[in-house]
Amino acid sequence: MVSQGKAGQAYQRIEQLIVSEELAPGNLVSEAALMEKTGLGRTPIREALQQLARNRMVEIHPNRGVLIPPASVESQLRMLEVRRVLEALAVRLACHSATSDDRVRMEAMLLRLSGEPMALAEYAETLKDIHRLVARCCNNEYLADAMAPLQGLSRRFWLAHVRDDGPSEVRRGSALYLAILRAVLARDPAAAEQASHSLNDYLVEFTYATIRRPAGSA
């Protein structure tokens, strides 16, 4: 589980830097550089890095620095296998456990996704908010902790390969997430699970498509 306070802030900020590739895959970064980028001290940075390493977001190499590991097609596909099972369970639980406050937030998220097409950065943050909302709705902290790092790593892979056709992929992804949210609001576990599987199918298809793209295209 991600700790709260400054260590939690450090975790969220470093994860964002990794997902956005401001910290590029394959690069080594120092604790000092992370302190400068986040504005946080050495202790919360170290605590965050330990959690990020457990979640496979970074590799810590003593006396050398922190490596941002490359995202491979093989690792992405393995992650999606696990995401498929966990997220299907999460949306089914959310159908039963979402509170009235959760449902209000979900309605707001529907409006957000149904509005004007988003830029990639805004869409990525919206996905993160949706993931957190569903995790909150499923009312199971163990499931939430298991899903979060997989979703972050998957989001990073998607963003790294979507550059040339961002608007089209954002529209497609938004429609898939809308189907999930609508099914949860309707308290329809079967429809929510099917919508979740459709999202996973899209992500698997997207991942395989990166292999078929001509060299040099993102």
Side-chain angles (χ1 to χ4, degrees):
M1 185 173 182
V2 179
S3 56
Q4 302 302 310
K6 290 187 177 180
Q9 294 174 32
Y11 182 100
Q12 297 297 337
R13 179 58 179 143
I14 296 170
E15 183 195 45
Q16 181 183 39
L17 293 170
I18 294 169
V19 169
S20 67
E21 294 198 331
E22 189 173 333
L23 295 176
N27 283 4
L28 280 167
V29 62
S30 66
E31 287 184 0
L34 292 172
M35 290 166 61
E36 182 177 350
K37 285 181 176 294
T38 63
L40 294 163
R42 189 175 301 276
T43 297
I45 291 294
R46 285 185 172 176
E47 290 179 10
L49 287 173
Q50 290 297 327
Q51 183 65 53
L52 286 161
R54 286 192 288 271
N55 290 344
R56 301 181 182 272
M57 299 286 283
V58 303
E59 295 175 8
I60 300 172
H61 295 270
N63 303 318
R64 291 180 57 206
V66 178
L67 175 69
I68 313 302
S72 70
V73 167
E74 292 79 5
S75 63
Q76 174 74 351
L77 291 171
R78 288 195 296 271
M79 282 187 289
L80 290 173
E81 287 178 347
V82 181
R83 270 192 69 173
R84 185 178 187 89
V85 177
L86 295 182
E87 290 185 344
L89 173 60
V91 297
R92 291 187 73 94
L93 290 174
C95 288
H96 299 295
S97 302
T99 66
S100 56
D101 184 48
D102 294 331
R103 294 170 67 79
V104 168
R105 292 172 186 242
M106 210 166 287
E107 292 281 6
M109 199 63 69
L110 280 172
L111 292 175
R112 188 166 156 188
L113 277 178
S114 302
E116 292 297 316
M118 301 178 190
L120 279 176
E122 182 185 0
Y123 179 68
E125 284 304 304
T126 299
L127 295 190
K128 193 171 183 179
D129 290 342
I130 292 172
H131 293 155
R132 286 174 175 168
L133 178 56
V134 171
R136 168 188 164 122
C137 290
C138 73
N139 195 29
N140 186 315
E141 67 274 24
Y142 299 103
L143 181 55
D145 288 346
M147 289 191 299
L150 297 175
Q151 290 166 334
L153 288 165
S154 296
R155 197 160 56 246
R156 169 195 170 194
F157 182 95
W158 188 86
L159 283 169
H161 292 89
V162 77
R163 309 297 182 187
D164 288 347
D165 197 19
S168 174
E169 298 294 345
V170 167
R171 285 193 297 272
R172 189 173 176 188
S174 294
L176 291 164
Y177 277 100
L178 282 168
I180 293 172
L181 294 173
R182 286 171 179 146
V184 174
L185 281 169
R187 298 196 185 278
D188 187 337
E193 180 174 359
Q194 182 56 55
S196 176
H197 284 166
S198 294
L199 171 64
N200 193 272
D201 290 341
Y202 157 70
L203 292 172
V204 170
E205 176 190 325
F206 179 91
T207 303
Y208 277 117
T210 66
I211 303 173
R212 298 190 291 268
R213 289 174 188 163
S217 66

